[in-house]
Amino acid sequence: PQPVYLSDYQPPDYLVTHTELTFDLDPTATRVKARLHIERNPAAALSAPLVLDGENLTLVSLGLDGTALEERDYVVSDTTLRIEHVPERFCLESEVEIDPNSNTALEGLYRSSGMYCTQCEAEGFRRITYYPDRPDVMATFKVTVIGDPAREPVLLANGNRVEQGERDGRHFAVWEDPHPKPCYLFALVAGDLCKTSDRFTTQSGREVALEIWVEEENLDKTGHAMASLKRAMAWDETTYGREYDLDLFMIVAVNDFNMGAMENKGLNIFNSAAVLTHPDTATDAAFQNVEGIVAHEYFHNWSGNRVTCRDWFQLSLKEGFTVFRDQCFSADTNSAPVKRIQDVSFFRTAQFAEDAGPTAHPVRPDHYIEITNFYTLTIYEKGAEVVRMLCNLIGWEAFRRGADRYFERFDGCAATIEDFVGCMEDASGERLDQFMRWYSQAGTPEVDAFGEYDYVHGEYRLTLRQRTPATPGQNEKLPLHVPVRLGLVGTKSGQDLTLTLDGESLGKEGVIHLRQAEQTFVFENVAEAPVPSLLRGFSAPVLLHYPYSREELAFLLTHDSDGFNRWDAGQRLSMLALDDLIAAHRNGVEKVMDTRVVEAFRTLLDGEVSDKAVLAEMLTLPTEAYIAEQQRIVDVDAIHAAREFMRQSLAVALRDEFIATYEANASDEPYAPTPEQIATRSLKNVALAYLMAIEDAKGLELCQAQFAAGRNMTDVRQALTLLVHSDRQDLAAPALKTFGEKWAHDSLVMDQWFTVQVTRPQPDVLERVEYLMDHPAFSIKNPNKVRALIGAFTQNRVNFHRLDGQGYRLLADVVIELNRLNPEIAARLITPLTRWQRFDESRQALMRQELARIKKEPLSSNVYEVVEKALA
Ligand code: HT7
Ligand code: ZN
């Protein structure tokens, strides 16, 4: 497979102004008729041939302006249909046959639990009909769907339904979408579905019908998604002044879906895991996830659909901006500091790892082989961090003006990242040339900071030095514009000191702009020695090094006025102690717990932090994955042993406090996914986890009682997890059995049942994975099952990285099978193997051996691209 380069971008030679499609549905032989109203792009050469994309299509007929074309008039290849000579304006009529049943890749038109559904982003539409499958070709669509009234009583497509009826024992519906859109936003759904309905009145007084379509047994699981949708619609009006633009907004839940959801115009299609919730079946985390994804897809209606991307290199234009929008929405709707803590904690673990691995790429890549491999943490999450920096740099008012300008100027257009940043420049008057490097330069910038206090002159000198390590294909890096939000916390007063820089007062907190490789900032009139609180709120996506002492970190943990940095100080303090424990484990000497960490936790448990959700985060130790990110060569076993030792030491030392915390937060209120209840449950469950770390008698009693009470899935799943991950298999086995039998009918709950079992740290898990792969509830064709069982297993570090290499072998076997069935999922699943450079020599060899074994297969372009980079 050949790469595509951003520098080769050319505008399309032909534009489609209007698209008419007729689908005659059949499980194995669906007929798709297309009437494409096409015009030559004025910029194109008169002699330009018409080249349409098409894959896995059987061409039945082709005509131009009512005249059938002969085979000599066109050339069909595996991926294109080419007509050498066409008029300036014409209607192309085609009919193709496709086979939805055999579509296991889940791109294009496929079947899921008996229904028909589509996934066209990024390049799935070419598996439906011959078309210029690129986002800068935007057309209005009229779609007729013909189906069997018994098998698919519901026929949906984008826009408004304008007609329906019956003919020859079949029935049909006609849908019209008046908004020009690229074909990746096309959607069709047909099946035996039921709906929940509601309404929303926009700020200008328009009535919008809202519908969530699901299988009948899931009707009671749509309430939270509907409420989230209405909150998101209201938020986009008040925050960005954007209202919805059709009379109908539909969401459909499907069981087989490669990602979380898809923002098709007026007809969002969701992975059922990203939309269905019920207190008995979904955890608090799932409720919050659903709220965030519903909002994300809804926000795309403006940032993505009304204004789309010129080409797929600009993917972060819509995804980074929309993630930023959904993060702000969730922060406004829930606990803002906790949202930031969770997002950053995930980002620093997973995106930093991506940046440090062989598939590292910029927020705007300059080439790719397979675009679906680029729906990454860098494009989404780092893209969102870049937009957040931009917003913080120019201030919310200017940012909002810039967003208005962007939505107005590019409405109905396919835009670029320069267009977006240009609007922000116009709105703020700031030059953002250097800032643009964030889009083109891959890798995580590292910032080294050093501070010294000059008692004599009352000055604090802060030196910042930045460097970005080389990434594949990008050795030279230029300095970035890094906004560092900071405070200086007085060691005597415990308060933020006033910041004066170059004679100008910044108040108690300020932002300094690191633009050069090294810069020194001299703060004047600093009355007492401070501890710097740097990069508050994670003001830039960088790795910050500052040689904090443990005393300074303990001080910031209790005195920093920035909630995020208080949490971060706790994480840094735990990390220093964990480093000692890891070293002790490696050297075979006795592990000794740092009492400063114990005392810091005691202070927290004594009521230092009033926000329970923040407190729960502060009591949570860095994950094994995060700790691993801090090591050049990862010692899987030492990390696990050190973290377990720390959890157990804290549990022993603070047993009574954890019991008191548990009891103070146990509640029998009816379940609601409110921020207050979620905070209370998470604090209670963190306390329970510590008690179970030492299998304390009281802890075991509470855990069993929590499982048996079965109040809600958050509590039940936590209790089940803690039992299964303990050494008390006598208690775990019956609990697993009860749970498995009770929920055998609920696919999403069974996914949780799989995950709980394969994330157990004890050494017998690989065999359990193999056993569960034969379980009737598992199917390798269903991406949720693969993620719940295999994906979760690869996150079980001690088991996946078994020294005999069997964990790697199992993953490679699954990847090889999925490479044929669903290349997109296969390519994502390989990720842990691609990180081989970070492990010891024997593991490296075993991981590379499995990559090499995969490479010998006839590979899809998705898997090929990843394996090639991993072995380069
Ligand atoms: N924009 C959507 C992307 C998406 C996708 C991409 C490739 C393959 C399958 C897919 N399903 C959804 C999701 C989003 O960011 O909103
Ligand atoms: Zn998105």
Side-chain angles (χ1 to χ4, degrees):
Q2 290 303 308
V4 188
Y5 292 91
L6 168 60
S7 54
D8 287 346
Y9 173 82
Q10 292 293 333
D13 286 336
Y14 291 90
L15 305 172
V16 184
T17 54
H18 181 62
T19 298
E20 293 167 58
L21 301 172
T22 301
F23 289 80
D24 200 345
L25 296 173
D26 182 274
T28 53
T30 289
R31 288 288 176 109
V32 185
K33 288 187 187 152
R35 285 172 51 81
L36 309 183
H37 299 263
I38 299 180
E39 289 177 9
R40 187 179 310 128
N41 192 342
L46 297 183
S47 60
L50 175 75
V51 182
L52 303 178
D53 302 296
E55 277 173 28
N56 297 349
L57 306 174
T58 306
L59 184 61
V60 178
S61 67
L62 192 64
L64 200 150
D65 286 336
T67 306
L69 293 183
E70 304 293 324
E71 275 187 24
R72 61 169 185 272
D73 300 328
Y74 58 87
V75 179
V76 174
S77 76
D78 280 352
T79 54
T80 56
L81 165 71
R82 183 183 169 102
I83 307 178
E84 212 50 50
H85 304 289
V86 288
E88 194 174 341
R89 177 174 289 138
F90 57 99
C91 177
L92 186 78
E93 297 116 359
S94 67
E95 180 167 357
V96 299
E97 188 172 295
I98 53 181
D99 179 0
N101 261 7
S102 65
N103 182 352
T104 55
L106 314 185
E107 293 176 326
L109 179 71
Y110 64 94
R111 295 191 88 210
S112 173
S113 309
M115 65 196 261
Y116 293 86
C117 58
T118 53
Q119 173 54 40
C120 294
E121 185 174 1
E123 296 180 335
F125 195 74
R126 62 188 61 187
R127 293 164 185 241
I128 290 177
T129 191
Y130 287 106
Y131 204 80
D133 188 359
R134 42 187 291 168
D136 55 356
V137 172
M138 299 171 89
T140 51
F141 277 64
K142 180 173 181 184
V143 178
T144 303
V145 189
I146 305 169
D148 178 318
R151 201 174 44 202
E152 43 270 354
V154 176
L155 306 171
L156 308 175
N158 317 81
N160 303 314
R161 191 171 51 212
V162 293
E163 206 187 324
Q164 58 187 327
E166 295 203 10
R167 208 180 288 143
D168 308 329
R170 306 271 284 166
H171 75 150
F172 68 92
V174 183
W175 292 81
E176 262 181 15
D177 180 2
H179 296 280
K181 65 169 179 286
C183 63
Y184 81 84
L185 291 173
F186 165 80
L188 175 156
V189 171
D192 190 359
L193 295 164
C194 296
K195 69 174 165 183
T196 309
S197 303
D198 207 329
R199 304 196 72 72
F200 182 82
T201 310
T202 68
Q203 60 186 5
S204 69
R206 285 199 16 264
E207 285 289 301
V208 182
L210 310 176
E211 297 178 352
I212 301 186
W213 291 89
V214 297
E215 291 165 295
E216 190 176 6
E217 67 265 28
N218 291 326
L219 267 178
D220 62 342
K221 300 195 181 105
T222 56
H224 180 65
M226 186 65 92
S228 304
L229 173 61
K230 288 161 73 177
R231 278 197 293 275
M233 294 177 87
W235 186 89
D236 216 16
E237 292 185 347
T238 48
T239 315
Y240 281 88
R242 298 289 127 197
E243 66 173 65
Y244 187 61
D245 53 7
L246 285 168
D247 303 333
L248 175 61
F249 184 86
M250 295 175 282
I251 287 178
V252 183
V254 306
N255 296 326
D256 302 273
F257 201 73
N258 282 348
M259 301 240 304
M262 178 63 210
E263 69 263 25
N264 315 300
K265 183 79 187 186
L267 178 55
N268 285 191
I269 297 184
F270 272 61
N271 185 327
S272 50
V275 62
L276 301 179
T277 55
H278 186 282
D280 293 343
T281 60
T283 61
D284 288 337
F287 270 83
Q288 291 186 318
N289 195 37
V290 164
E291 180 181 62
I293 299 184
V294 167
H296 178 99
E297 304 311 328
Y298 174 73
F299 296 153
H300 267 316
N301 191 54
W302 276 95
S303 48
N305 300 3
R306 294 284 292 243
V307 182
T308 192
C309 301
R310 186 193 73 174
D311 54 72
W312 292 121
F313 295 102
Q314 320 295 328
L315 183 57
S316 194
L317 172 69
K318 74 178 178 82
E319 296 304 347
F321 186 23
T322 305
V323 171
F324 172 65
R325 276 151 56 69
D326 84 56
Q327 287 178 345
C328 295
F329 164 77
S330 295
D332 288 351
T333 317
N334 300 286
S335 161
V338 170
K339 175 69 182 151
R340 190 68 186 137
I341 287 168
Q342 289 173 344
D343 287 345
V344 172
S345 161
F346 173 63
F347 184 84
R348 291 199 302 210
T349 305
Q351 198 284 327
F352 279 9
E354 185 165 282
D355 260 349
T359 57
H361 54 277
V363 172
R364 178 165 58 190
D366 53 17
H367 67 283
Y368 59 77
I369 289 180
E370 179 50 65
I371 185 57
T372 55
N373 286 340
F374 284 77
Y375 286 75
T376 59
L377 296 163
T378 301
I379 304 289
Y380 276 68
E381 268 71 23
K382 188 169 179 183
E385 292 301 322
V386 173
V387 174
R388 182 180 293 268
M389 276 192 290
L390 197 52
C391 176
N392 288 336
L393 275 177
I394 65 176
W396 167 251
E397 277 75 30
F399 184 82
R400 169 65 206 272
R401 281 197 306 278
D404 287 350
R405 195 179 272 257
Y406 169 70
F407 288 134
E408 276 145 34
R409 195 184 284 173
F410 297 101
D411 192 6
C413 299
T416 62
I417 285 172
E418 279 79 6
D419 294 332
F420 179 74
V421 177
C423 288
M424 297 301 165
E425 277 192 327
D426 292 351
S428 65
E430 287 282 330
R431 292 283 311 262
L432 296 168
D433 324 29
Q434 187 184 7
F435 187 83
M436 284 300 289
R437 288 180 194 158
W438 280 106
Y439 285 104
S440 55
Q441 224 167 251
T444 304
E446 298 197 24
V447 175
D448 291 312
F450 312 93
E452 52 183 354
Y453 181 58
D454 177 343
Y455 287 85
V456 180
H457 299 98
E459 281 179 359
Y460 183 77
R461 300 167 66 81
L462 181 68
T463 299
L464 301 178
R465 206 174 283 151
Q466 63 163 306
R467 82 200 127 86
T468 304
T471 50
Q474 231 186 31
N475 289 332
E476 300 304 321
K477 308 282 181 178
L478 297 168
L480 293 156
H481 179 175
V482 183
V484 179
R485 192 149 70 84
L486 85 171
L488 296 178
V489 190
T491 41
K492 279 203 199 116
S493 60
Q495 304 286 320
D496 279 338
L497 307 175
T498 302
L499 306 176
T500 308
L501 198 58
D502 299 327
E504 199 191 318
S505 170
L506 306 178
K508 303 271 184 203
E509 178 178 281
V511 179
I512 54 177
H513 298 271
L514 172 65
R515 289 191 172 90
Q516 293 154 26
E518 180 173 331
Q519 263 170 277
T520 297
F521 301 85
V522 183
F523 294 92
E524 301 138 26
N525 305 324
V526 181
E528 51 179 307
V531 179
S533 164
L534 301 169
L535 207 70
R536 282 183 166 172
F538 196 60
S539 61
V542 303
L543 187 54
L544 172 79
H545 305 287
Y546 181 90
Y548 285 114
S549 69
R550 293 178 203 216
E551 287 69 25
E552 286 173 323
L553 291 170
F555 173 78
L556 287 177
L557 180 76
T558 45
H559 291 92
D560 202 317
S561 62
D562 182 74
F564 175 85
N565 268 23
R566 258 202 324 272
W567 166 81
D568 199 32
Q571 297 287 298
R572 285 174 188 266
L573 180 61
S574 300
M575 272 309 305
L576 291 178
L578 282 163
D579 285 344
D580 290 348
L581 295 171
I582 290 168
H585 184 89
R586 291 171 69 91
N587 298 331
V589 298
E590 195 191 345
K591 299 189 191 67
V592 181
M593 178 66 186
D594 184 340
T595 51
R596 283 165 290 201
V597 178
V598 178
E599 291 320 308
F601 271 57
R602 192 188 304 283
T603 319
L604 294 173
L605 285 164
D606 281 351
E608 184 62 37
V609 180
S610 56
D611 181 337
K612 288 182 182 178
V614 173
L615 178 56
E617 293 297 336
M618 294 187 83
L619 292 171
T620 303
L621 296 178
T623 61
E624 290 183 20
Y626 179 77
I627 303 168
E629 262 327 284
Q630 316 309 309
Q631 301 189 334
R632 208 182 65 72
I633 294 294
V634 178
D635 187 333
V636 179
D637 302 307
I639 290 174
H640 180 69
R643 191 173 183 276
E644 280 311 291
F645 178 82
M646 186 178 269
R647 277 187 349 113
Q648 289 167 4
S649 305
L650 287 165
V652 169
L654 301 167
R655 174 185 179 271
D656 294 347
E657 286 84 347
F658 284 126
I659 292 178
T661 302
Y662 183 92
E663 286 173 345
N665 291 286
S667 145
D668 45 20
E669 259 186 296
Y671 180 92
T674 58
E676 298 73 30
Q677 275 202 14
I678 292 175
T680 305
R681 271 189 293 275
S682 61
L683 186 52
K684 175 185 75 177
N685 283 326
V686 165
L688 186 61
Y690 277 105
L691 294 169
M692 284 295 288
I694 48 174
E695 285 159 34
D696 176 81
K698 177 76 180 167
L700 279 166
E701 182 193 314
L702 293 172
C703 193
Q704 282 183 283
Q706 180 164 316
F707 179 75
R711 269 202 193 92
N712 53 69
M713 184 50 89
T714 308
D715 286 349
V716 170
R717 174 159 173 188
Q718 173 74 346
L720 180 68
T721 304
L722 294 174
L723 287 170
V724 173
H725 293 197
S726 77
D727 288 325
R728 294 297 303 270
Q729 291 312 290
D730 56 325
L731 304 178
L736 265 179
K737 185 162 181 289
T738 310
F739 187 98
E741 285 170 3
K742 178 170 178 187
W743 295 110
H745 64 282
D746 190 315
S747 173
L748 294 177
V749 182
M750 289 308 280
D751 289 347
Q752 304 185 51
W753 186 75
F754 285 135
T755 298
V756 167
Q757 296 180 68
V758 302
T759 47
R760 214 176 110 74
Q762 285 79 351
D764 55 352
V765 171
L766 189 126
E767 293 69 21
R768 181 70 71 99
V769 177
E770 287 171 337
Y771 168 77
L772 290 173
M773 283 176 75
D774 287 331
H775 191 279
F778 181 77
S779 160
I780 197 155
K781 291 189 179 164
N782 178 282
N784 287 354
K785 304 282 163 221
V786 172
R787 283 184 279 257
L789 190 61
I790 313 298
F793 169 66
T794 66
Q795 302 310 308
N796 180 342
R797 306 182 69 88
V798 276
N799 278 290
F800 175 62
H801 293 285
R802 262 166 68 143
L803 271 172
D804 63 2
Q806 289 305 311
Y808 308 145
R809 167 158 280 271
L810 182 142
L811 177 61
D813 287 343
V814 174
V815 166
I816 288 169
E817 190 174 352
L818 274 171
N819 171 59
R820 283 183 288 108
L821 295 169
N822 187 331
E824 198 179 310
I825 297 296
R828 281 181 186 279
L829 212 58
I830 314 174
T831 307
L833 282 179
T834 68
R835 308 276 158 83
W836 58 266
Q837 299 92 332
R838 304 292 300 277
F839 293 87
D840 54 82
E841 274 177 25
S842 70
R843 285 187 172 99
Q844 283 196 7
L846 292 164
M847 291 166 102
R848 286 178 62 91
Q849 186 181 311
E850 294 306 324
L851 285 166
R853 184 158 72 87
I854 296 172
K855 201 177 167 193
K856 287 206 190 101
E857 295 287 316
L859 290 182
S860 60
S861 54
N862 309 59
V863 174
Y864 170 85
E865 181 172 34
V866 176
V867 171
E868 192 62 22
K869 284 180 180 169
L871 289 174

